[in-house]
């Protein structure tokens, strides 16, 4: 079943011809050895189709992951492949058109979360998710980004955060501290650990900030948040805005170095983990001067070291594995050790661990309003698996996944609460 064709968005004053040229120039810039090998390797087996939740949920062939790379493949064949001069001379592959790039906007922004499930299943080892991310670099250069994501990009360029200007952070933290009855230090001149946040935690989900503060205070670590570098979500990473991605990453790493912190603690956010843990070093050209860890790693380490203890809850639970944290980031076992410490009887979903199904909202999809119908179809896959597990509790370790799942639950009047691993630990700290 094919969904209605959405409107396509454009930014900036470029002509259609200039947009095509800007996209092609950026695409060609991505074709190093690895990307080129991936472009040459696809055997059109179709296995990636059954890995993609958007294809599975809709049955529409256009959502097959490898088809989402078609314009990138054509750019490679015409401009960078080993036979590119012959391809151009004989007109074997047509130059991309603006209409094709506009249609492609839906495929790589509305119906792809860069979850990496297609990458996992590909028998040729093609990192399809990474290629989609690289394709977004060209789409951003062409000014062909969904407007809701472009709006967030402009906010981050102006403020250094999609949530708030840094100058407002101390007031936001003070209000959250008063609301939840816990101190949240801000702008300390020195600290062992720089703690960061996701935008939602500075708005409707301040309990996550309070939960982190309660746990950190138990550990005895000297920590702070800082108005010079606090938003770890990195909208540039999702949109394909490399300049913004670098700026947001550097604001966090450089702030940590300036205050003498040895560790940057990331929030329960999947793409924050990808941007700050796995891609940050490329902006420095060397090993990072600080350690970057996800909240799940931190909880696991504090429990294993005995620096915090928790009361055992005892219910059955199932767990949503966030794609960027588990499949792309490797934290499958860490989350399960924390769940075990809380005394949960873990009932795994049909698709779990590195094979887990995406929530449907990562990669900016949850913020892209026109993708809502697609996102809800993907949610139905997850809901069915949770219900089939029979578990009493449903837990995740990504705030963005939690928001996406909650939005899907409201749409279908599903009453199952979606719980945060961080908040469960904070709520059950033992004396």
């Amino acid at each position: 079943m094919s969904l209605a064709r959405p409107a396509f968005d454009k930014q900036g004053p470029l002509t259609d011809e200039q947009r095509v040229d800007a996209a092609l120039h950026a695409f060609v810039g991505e074709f190093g050895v690895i990307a080129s090998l991936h472009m040459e390797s696809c055997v059109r087996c179709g296995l990636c189709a059954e890995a993609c939740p958007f294809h599975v949920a809709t049955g529409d062939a256009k959502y097959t992951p490898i088809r989402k790379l078609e314009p990138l493949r054509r750019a490679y064949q015409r401009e960078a492949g080993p036979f590119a001069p012959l391809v151009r001379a004989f007109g074997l592959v047509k130059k991309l058109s603006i209409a094709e790039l506009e249609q492609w906007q839906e495929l790589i922004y509305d119906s792809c979360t860069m979850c990496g499930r297609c990458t996992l299943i590909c028998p040729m080892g093609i990192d399809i998710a990474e290629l989609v991310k690289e394709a977004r670099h060209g789409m951003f250069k062409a000014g062909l980004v969904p407007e809701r994501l472009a709006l967030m990009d402009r906010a981050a360029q102006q403020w250094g955060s999609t949530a708030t200007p840094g100058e407002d952070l101390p007031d936001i933290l003070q209000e959250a501290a008063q609301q939840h009855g816990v101190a949240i230090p801000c702008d300390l001149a020195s600290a062992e650990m720089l703690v960061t946040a996701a935008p939602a935690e500075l708005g409707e989900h301040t309990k996550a900030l309070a939960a982190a503060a309660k746990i950190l205070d138990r550990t005895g670590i000297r920590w702070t948040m800082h108005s010079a570098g606090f938003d770890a979500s990195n909208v540039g990473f999702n949109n394909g805005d490399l300049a913004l991605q670098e700026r947001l990453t550097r604001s966090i790493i450089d702030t940590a170095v300036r205050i003498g912190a040895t560790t940057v603690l990331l929030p329960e956010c999947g793409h924050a983990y990808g941007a700050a843990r796995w891609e940050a070093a490329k902006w420095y050209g060397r090993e990072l001067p600080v350690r970057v860890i996800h909240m799940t790693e931190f909880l696991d380490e504090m429990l294993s070291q005995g620096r915090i203890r928790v009361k055992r809850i005892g219910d059955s639970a199932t767990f949503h594995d966030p794609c960027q944290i588990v499949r792309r980031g490797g934290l499958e076992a860490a989350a399960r050790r924390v769940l075990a410490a809380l005394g949960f009887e873990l009932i795994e979903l049909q698709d779990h661990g590195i094979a887990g199904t995406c929530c449907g909202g990562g990669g900016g999809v949850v913020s892209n309003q026109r993708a809502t119908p697609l996102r809800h179809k993907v949610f139905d896959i997850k809901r069915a698996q949770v219900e089939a597990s029979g578990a009493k509790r449903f837990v995740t370790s990504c705030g963005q996944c939690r928001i996406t799942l909650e939005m899907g639950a409201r749409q279908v009047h599903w009453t199952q609460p979606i719980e945060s691993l961080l908040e469960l630990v904070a709520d059950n700290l033992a004396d």
Side-chain angles (χ1 to χ4, degrees), residues 118-416:
C118 54
T119 296
L120 180 72
I121 203 68
C122 177
M124 303 305 292
I126 302 171
D127 194 344
I128 302 172
E130 184 67 16
L131 290 173
V132 167
K133 181 163 66 65
E134 291 173 356
R136 289 188 180 193
H137 300 160
M139 295 293 280
F140 180 83
K141 287 289 187 182
L144 293 173
V145 177
E147 184 55 31
R148 289 291 291 267
L149 301 185
L151 178 63
M152 296 169 65
D153 201 278
R154 292 192 292 270
Q157 289 181 35
Q158 180 177 350
W159 293 343
S161 162
T162 57
T164 183
E167 63 197 43
D168 293 344
L169 182 67
D171 290 338
I172 292 172
L173 296 183
Q174 183 178 16
E175 183 177 339
Q178 291 173 348
Q179 177 186 357
H180 297 287
V182 61
I184 304 178
C186 184
D187 290 345
L188 297 186
S190 64
E192 297 174 59
M193 180 178 287
L194 176 66
V195 178
T196 59
E201 296 174 356
L202 302 171
E204 297 180 3
H205 295 269
T206 55
K207 185 182 177 184
L209 293 178
K214 286 175 63 176
I215 294 167
L216 283 156
D217 287 347
R218 287 289 186 95
T219 68
I221 295 171
R222 180 174 171 81
W223 66 280
T224 188
M225 297 188 69
H226 205 287
S227 56
F230 61 93
D231 183 349
S233 63
N234 207 319
V235 67
F237 178 90
N238 285 335
N239 286 359
D241 185 349
L242 283 171
L244 180 61
Q245 181 183 343
E246 178 179 2
R247 175 186 164 193
L248 296 177
T249 297
R250 285 185 179 275
S251 70
I252 291 172
I253 303 300
D254 292 349
T255 298
V257 171
R258 188 165 63 251
I259 66 173
T262 57
T263 304
V264 170
L265 178 59
L266 301 175
E268 284 193 313
C269 176
H271 288 282
Y273 195 53
R277 177 66 177 268
W278 303 119
E279 295 208 0
K282 72 182 181 183
W283 309 122
Y284 292 84
R286 56 184 172 84
E287 185 178 354
L288 287 179
V290 294
R291 184 185 183 213
V292 180
I293 62 171
H294 188 268
M295 182 60 72
T296 304
E297 291 175 282
F298 176 70
L299 297 175
D300 181 38
E301 290 179 8
M302 294 301 99
L303 286 165
S304 66
Q305 294 171 13
R307 299 182 71 170
I308 60 171
R309 295 186 302 110
V310 289
K311 293 174 283 189
R312 296 179 66 82
I313 296 173
D315 280 341
S316 63
T318 194
F319 183 70
H320 165 69
D321 288 282
C323 305
Q324 300 299 323
I325 301 170
V326 174
R327 181 161 43 250
R328 304 286 281 179
L331 296 184
E332 179 180 2
R336 284 160 174 78
R337 286 192 292 265
V338 176
L339 289 167
L342 287 165
F344 283 119
E345 174 198 353
L346 180 61
I347 304 174
E348 297 283 15
L349 297 175
Q350 175 184 322
D351 298 321
H352 62 273
I354 62 171
T357 301
C358 181
C359 69
V365 174
V366 71
S367 303
N368 182 3
Q369 186 63 27
R370 71 181 192 209
T372 299
L374 267 174
R375 192 178 72 243
H376 287 159
K377 287 180 178 292
V378 173
F379 168 77
D380 283 340
I381 298 173
K382 182 64 65 174
R383 176 173 63 89
Q385 291 192 3
V386 172
E387 290 177 348
S389 76
K392 294 181 180 179
R393 312 283 283 267
F394 181 30
V395 183
T396 188
S397 58
C398 174
Q400 199 74 0
C401 291
R402 185 182 180 189
I403 290 170
T404 299
L405 295 167
E406 287 175 343
M407 293 170 70
R410 286 195 296 269
Q411 172 69 17
V412 297
H413 308 291
W414 194 46
T415 58
Q416 174 69 56

